[in-house]
Amino acid sequence: MRRYLRFVPLGLLLAVVLELAVFVGVGRAVGFGSAVLLVFAASLLGLVLLRREGMRAWRGFRSSVESRQPPGRQVTDGLVGLVGALLLAIPGLVSGVVGLLLLVPPVRRLVRAGVQRAAERRVSSMVAGDLFGPRTVRVRRGEPTPAGPPPAEDVVSPQVVDGGRAIEGEIVEPRRP
């Protein structure tokens, strides 16, 4: 993670240059006053949506906790909505378009799924299960593929379970000494 942090200043500089270039291009196409008004309107809309998305995320989190469901889906959906509204609130045309895209439901579902997969990769299976609920795994009949990982001492060789039909289950990581 730390190795990527050194690229943050360069990324921010490129984002500012891109925002300025797009603003100048739009300003030349529709006029400077119209471009400033467009940026101001997008920022105002972003501030309104920031409050709405924050309240929506909080209500979703509370309802999942009260119903004793894993809150991960509501939290990731709320975070994607908040990031979209925040990008819309930041003055700039490119950030506004990206923020607006993050608020569109199909794009939001795609990004939420990506955030969930990234979170599941970074935490243990037990924590991911607590956040997002148990994952569904498929157990299939047959031998492992040659491209699969070599069997380790704590890995159970594949077995036919429940007559070869897919079953639901939880992934539990073995404890290592």
Side-chain angles (χ1 to χ4, degrees), residues 137-143 156-170:
V137 296
R138 294 194 178 271
V139 178
R140 297 197 176 138
R141 182 185 342 209
E143 294 298 316
V156 177
S157 62
Q159 301 172 2
V160 176
V161 179
D162 195 23
R165 295 181 302 151
I167 59 170
E168 290 188 20
E170 261 185 81

Side-chain angles (χ1 to χ4, degrees), residues 49 52-53 56 73 76-77 80-81 84 98-114:
L49 288 176
R52 187 192 84 174
E53 290 296 323
R56 182 177 176 208
R73 287 183 63 98
T76 54
D77 189 52
V80 171
V98 172
L100 200 57
L101 282 175
L102 286 177
L103 295 174
V104 175
V107 176
R108 191 175 187 158
R109 280 192 297 270
L110 281 172
V111 173
R112 181 185 65 209

Side-chain angles (χ1 to χ4, degrees), residues 6-117:
R6 63 181 170 175
F7 295 115
V8 169
L10 179 63
L12 289 175
L13 180 65
L14 289 175
V16 169
V17 169
L18 179 67
E19 289 283 1
L20 285 173
V22 169
F23 181 77
V24 168
V26 170
R28 285 186 179 172
V30 298
F32 179 72
S34 298
V36 169
L37 192 61
L38 184 64
V39 168
F40 180 72
S43 295
L44 189 61
L45 177 66
L47 289 174
V48 170
L49 288 176
L50 194 61
R51 183 176 187 274
R52 187 192 84 174
E53 290 296 323
M55 293 302 292
R56 182 177 176 208
W58 178 249
R59 279 193 303 265
F61 175 74
R62 285 193 53 197
S63 69
S64 66
V65 169
E66 287 172 358
S67 64
R68 299 185 188 266
Q69 297 292 323
R73 287 183 63 98
Q74 285 76 18
V75 169
T76 54
D77 189 52
L79 283 177
V80 171
L82 283 172
V83 167
L86 184 64
L87 285 174
L88 195 57
I90 293 172
L93 296 172
V94 175
S95 64
V97 168
V98 172
L100 200 57
L101 282 175
L102 286 177
L103 295 174
V104 175
V107 176
R108 191 175 187 158
R109 280 192 297 270
L110 281 172
V111 173
R112 181 185 65 209
V115 169
Q116 182 175 339
R117 278 193 305 273

